Amino acid sequence: MSIHEEQASIEVGEARIAGTFLTPGTLLPGVLFIHGWGGSQQQYIERARAVAAMGCIGLTFDLRGHAQTKPLFETVTRDGNLADVVAAYDCLVQRQHVDGTAIAVVGSSYGGYLASILTTMRPVRWLALRAPALYRDEDWTLPKLQLSQNQDLASYRRTLVRAADNRALQACHHFDGDVLLVESELDTIVPASVLASYREATIRARSLTYRCLDGADHGLSQELDQRAYTDALVKWLGEMLADARRSRDRSAREHDVSVSESPLPRPVQVPDFTEP
Amino acid sequence: MSIHEEQASIEVGEARIAGTFLTPGTLLPGVLFIHGWGGSQQQYIERARAVAAMGCIGLTFDLRGHAQTKPLFETVTRDGNLADVVAAYDCLVQRQHVDGTAIAVVGSSYGGYLASILTTMRPVRWLALRAPALYRDEDWTLPKLQLSQNQDLASYRRTLVRAADNRALQACHHFDGDVLLVESELDTIVPASVLASYREATIRARSLTYRCLDGADHGLSQELDQRAYTDALVKWLGEMLADARRSRDRSAREHDVSVSESPLPRPVQVPDFTEP
């Protein structure tokens, strides 16, 4: 978050004193939340509130085939849902006050799979994947619901998949932003081997934070695990935002130019005068 | 910080999907910084930046007799400087986006003394005093510079002063918001007994956080101590803001009404559907 500084002249009776207003900059990081298959934006609304409280603009949305468009559940394809994700991303970036260079994308399961692919289509700085699912590249335009029958996913997900052989993993392979990977210890839908495939794929990431939620299942059916995931996500994002702020400040100082929203020179910290 | 929620309808080709934007509310906490005698607003500008990065609107300013109005150094009175503080407070509260019910006042030394008295004149929720100075109530309209000769301050500050006998302490005695008190261990100007007087006075405070900076002098002449003070201040304010957010959420839930900026009903956290 950038800081805006503005000189003020304060009236005191007939006199005037000098002041400086310091306000959060007008450009805020944006965070896109992508729910899992069979879910809805409700899964992420509490987390989006927590993230807004950190000074970000969040966007949750319902993938086609879910919530109000539930009738499309049996026919919607990965291609269609990826178009949803891109449309939601564009909607977020076009939103007033959103800093298009500071976008985080957060996805669970099928949403994590789509989030990974999005990074090849739009600029993403931070990528958070919880129990990201994996599908074979084939049948791209087949209804998503049929993949479980057609692709023998259970056995596919028990093997370590090479990045070159999978569109989502390849996206992760090329991604050079920061990554959070969250595993559920007792996940039988997206087992540890899938997380290992994602982890191995993200070799170019600027940073990797990998966490395993002990005792959690795929859907985080325990309230405790929901909270643990929220905590991990919020803490990680807080660290990323602080880091981004520091590096922007440092770069502004090194190049001896003020950051665009901070027109005043950066003064040194002066000790207090000794009060007599 | 309040959260604003807004339904969105996102176009995907010919179709539409439902989304929800979550943005930081438009009302932000305000923080007023009051420098010490002989200082200037430069003392607080870095801290004000840190506080703005937490989503607050900060205001630093130069007391009369300082910086641009230095010629008044020998004639300005406590009464005059208190008027400056009130004018700066009013300027902050009138600023667009500042939440007048969420104002913090931060003062060092003479600035802490003035901050305490301000709480009897304007609504203050959070009060942070670093090495707050103490003067006898008499000679209120005498130039501030003459008090050290007229009031035998050194011996006054070595005694424990009762709240009833001092205007600033009495203000603290009636203050029911949250208080941060920061002492410098090796302070010879405002010794430990003054801090004890302030601490004893704040018996009605909603919370009290008392910290002593080991090895620090009155003016925090070591860069290390400057940082330690900033850290203590930022950590305390972060806790206060998080606390305020929680209690607002709780109260909105208990009364079964949405908070003003959050028109959507608060959904329960739903577990993810199990991805097939």
Side-chain angles (χ1 to χ4, degrees):
Chain A
M1 189 188 288
S2 52
I3 309 298
H4 179 76
E5 299 190 14
E6 181 190 319
Q7 312 249 14
S9 176
I10 304 166
E11 272 190 45
V12 197
E14 306 283 286
R16 286 194 163 275
I17 51 178
T20 309
F21 273 110
L22 296 103
T23 52
T26 50
L27 288 182
L28 305 179
V31 186
L32 182 67
F33 295 92
I34 314 174
H35 67 78
W37 182 253
S40 80
Q41 62 176 321
Q42 292 304 323
Q43 280 173 3
Y44 267 117
I45 205 106
E46 274 295 330
R47 288 173 195 117
R49 284 199 186 101
V51 156
M54 295 165 76
C56 298
I57 295 179
L59 176 61
T60 63
F61 67 101
D62 296 317
L63 289 167
R64 264 181 295 176
H66 299 77
Q68 289 161 356
T69 58
K70 183 86 184 180
L72 303 174
F73 191 64
E74 294 180 13
T75 53
V76 73
T77 64
R78 283 180 285 178
D79 199 51
N81 282 150
L82 185 60
D84 297 341
V85 169
V86 171
Y89 176 100
D90 291 342
C91 181
L92 174 63
V93 169
Q94 283 154 23
R95 171 91 179 187
Q96 207 189 4
H97 302 310
V98 169
D99 179 355
T101 69
I103 302 293
V105 178
V106 179
S108 291
S109 195
Y110 179 51
Y113 172 80
L114 295 172
S116 301
I117 299 173
L118 174 69
T119 64
T120 63
M121 307 169 75
R122 293 290 186 275
V124 173
R125 184 154 174 183
W126 302 290
L127 179 65
L129 308 175
R130 187 187 79 68
L134 210 54
Y135 309 87
R136 297 177 201 270
D137 286 350
E138 301 88 81
D139 315 311
W140 183 253
T141 52
L142 210 67
K144 154 72 179 81
L145 193 61
Q146 292 175 27
L147 299 183
S148 53
Q149 300 143 33
N150 283 42
Q151 295 204 335
D152 186 17
L153 290 176
S155 75
Y156 184 61
R157 292 175 180 174
R158 275 195 303 272
T159 61
L160 199 66
V161 180
R162 292 189 322 142
D165 299 336
N166 184 286
R167 185 173 176 183
L169 296 179
Q170 200 157 11
C172 289
H173 179 78
H174 290 289
F175 183 67
D176 59 3
D178 299 275
V179 175
L180 172 68
L181 261 182
V182 179
E183 177 175 340
S184 286
E185 188 197 16
L186 307 180
D187 197 327
T188 53
I189 311 292
V190 172
S193 41
V194 172
L195 273 285
S197 296
Y198 273 96
R199 207 167 58 230
E200 297 221 344
T202 59
I203 53 162
R204 292 184 193 168
R206 193 176 154 277
S207 77
L208 172 65
T209 304
Y210 168 71
R211 295 288 180 270
C212 183
L213 304 179
D214 288 347
D217 56 20
H218 183 71
L220 303 185
S221 55
Q222 306 284 327
E223 173 68 25
L224 188 82
D225 298 324
Q226 291 281 348
R227 277 205 301 273
Y229 170 45
T230 302
D231 287 352
L233 181 64
V234 164
K235 197 175 280 185
W236 174 77
L237 195 62
E239 190 189 330
M240 295 302 119
L241 296 175
D243 201 42
R245 196 155 50 226
R246 268 194 304 275
S247 75
R248 200 202 52 242
D249 286 357
R250 196 165 39 237
S251 122
R253 230 170 276 164
E254 276 167 9
H255 297 90
D256 198 24
V257 294
S258 305
V259 287
S260 62
E261 293 206 315
S262 180
L264 294 182
R266 185 165 294 269
V268 289
Q269 186 71 54
V270 288
D272 294 9
F273 194 86
T274 45
E275 147 77 23
Chain B
M1 190 188 288
S2 53
I3 309 300
H4 179 75
E5 299 190 14
E6 182 190 318
Q7 311 250 14
S9 177
I10 303 165
E11 272 190 46
V12 196
E14 307 283 287
R16 286 194 163 271
I17 52 178
T20 310
F21 273 110
L22 296 102
T23 53
T26 50
L27 288 183
L28 304 179
V31 186
L32 182 68
F33 296 92
I34 314 175
H35 67 78
W37 182 253
S40 79
Q41 60 177 323
Q42 292 304 322
Q43 281 174 2
Y44 267 118
I45 206 106
E46 274 295 331
R47 288 173 195 118
R49 285 198 186 102
V51 156
M54 295 166 76
C56 298
I57 294 179
L59 177 61
T60 63
F61 67 101
D62 296 318
L63 289 167
R64 262 181 297 175
H66 299 77
Q68 289 163 353
T69 59
K70 182 88 183 179
L72 303 174
F73 192 63
E74 294 180 14
T75 53
V76 73
T77 64
R78 284 179 284 178
D79 200 51
N81 282 151
L82 185 59
D84 297 342
V85 169
V86 171
Y89 176 100
D90 291 343
C91 182
L92 174 62
V93 169
Q94 283 153 25
R95 170 92 178 186
Q96 207 189 3
H97 301 312
V98 168
D99 179 354
T101 69
I103 301 294
V105 179
V106 179
S108 292
S109 195
Y110 180 49
Y113 171 79
L114 296 171
S116 301
I117 299 174
L118 174 68
T119 64
T120 64
M121 306 168 76
R122 293 292 186 273
V124 173
R125 184 155 173 183
W126 302 290
L127 179 65
L129 308 175
R130 187 186 80 68
L134 209 54
Y135 308 88
R136 296 179 203 269
D137 286 351
E138 300 89 82
D139 315 312
W140 182 253
T141 51
L142 209 67
K144 154 73 179 79
L145 193 59
Q146 293 176 26
L147 298 184
S148 52
Q149 300 143 34
N150 283 40
Q151 295 204 337
D152 186 16
L153 288 176
S155 74
Y156 184 60
R157 291 175 181 174
R158 276 195 303 270
T159 61
L160 199 67
V161 181
R162 291 189 321 143
D165 299 336
N166 183 285
R167 187 172 175 183
L169 296 179
Q170 201 157 10
C172 288
H173 179 77
H174 291 290
F175 183 66
D176 59 2
D178 300 274
V179 175
L180 172 68
L181 261 182
V182 179
E183 179 175 339
S184 286
E185 188 196 16
L186 307 180
D187 197 328
T188 53
I189 311 292
V190 172
S193 40
V194 173
L195 272 285
S197 296
Y198 273 95
R199 208 167 58 231
E200 296 221 346
T202 58
I203 54 164
R204 293 186 193 167
R206 194 175 154 277
S207 77
L208 172 65
T209 304
Y210 168 72
R211 296 288 181 269
C212 183
L213 305 179
D214 287 349
D217 57 18
H218 183 69
L220 303 185
S221 55
Q222 306 284 328
E223 174 67 26
L224 187 82
D225 297 324
Q226 291 281 349
R227 277 204 301 272
Y229 170 44
T230 302
D231 286 353
L233 182 64
V234 164
K235 198 175 279 186
W236 173 76
L237 195 62
E239 190 188 330
M240 295 302 118
L241 296 174
D243 201 42
R245 197 155 49 227
R246 268 194 303 273
S247 75
R248 200 201 52 241
D249 287 356
R250 196 166 39 236
S251 122
R253 231 170 275 165
E254 275 166 11
H255 296 91
D256 198 23
V257 293
S258 305
V259 288
S260 63
E261 292 207 316
S262 179
L264 294 181
R266 185 165 292 270
V268 288
Q269 186 70 56
V270 288
D272 294 10
F273 193 87
T274 44
E275 148 77 21

